[in-house]
Amino acid sequence: VQLQASGGGLVHAGGSERLSCAASGRIFRINGRTWYRQAPGQQRELVAAISIGGATNYADSVKGRFTISRDNAGNTWYLQMNSLKPEDTAVYYCAAKIWYYGGSTYEDFWGQGTQVTVSS
């Protein structure tokens, strides 16, 4: 099982960017699709999450600006980021709890991270 994050790059303040996370492999079920970010010198923080039932949760700092969603098959999820601010600059990671064929329960998987830099 692998998670592949894509998107990101250099964005001007006030701009938008969409990140994607594609899960691949012998996946039975995915739960807890999330996006985290880590800025230089700071701890990794949860940005957004979407549950298996579709409920969403956001960090206070991104509420109203970021939207997490998933495709119908559920193996790809997205983070739409609008009204970006310089303080949104970070490496963004996708993560999920995945139950794969041959496994006995959900396990944590992480993508490789993608850099988002917001210039002022």
Side-chain angles (χ1 to χ4, degrees), residues 10-96:
L10 178 62
V11 186
H12 292 295
S16 298
E17 183 68 21
R18 189 175 83 155
L19 305 181
S20 300
C21 184
S24 61
R26 300 181 71 247
I27 296 169
F28 171 58
R29 188 172 293 172
I30 303 177
N31 195 4
R33 298 165 181 82
T34 60
W35 287 98
Y36 285 78
R37 68 184 180 187
Q38 187 168 20
Q42 297 188 21
Q43 291 187 335
R44 192 171 296 187
E45 65 170 344
L46 177 65
V47 175
I50 184 167
S51 73
I52 196 169
T56 57
N57 186 41
Y58 297 95
D60 287 343
S61 59
V62 306
K63 280 180 181 177
R65 300 188 298 121
F66 290 12
T67 302
I68 188 171
S69 62
R70 63 187 182 199
D71 68 359
N72 287 337
N75 284 6
T76 302
W77 58 103
Y78 309 94
L79 186 67
Q80 178 66 43
M81 304 182 292
N82 298 329
S83 302
L84 281 161
K85 305 175 181 180
E87 50 264 44
D88 294 319
T89 295
V91 177
Y92 284 73
Y93 299 89
C94 58

Side-chain angles (χ1 to χ4, degrees), residues 102-117:
S104 58
T105 188
Y106 289 101
E107 296 182 23
D108 292 330
F109 287 86
W110 290 82
Q112 82 282 12
T114 185
Q115 177 72 44
V116 175
T117 302

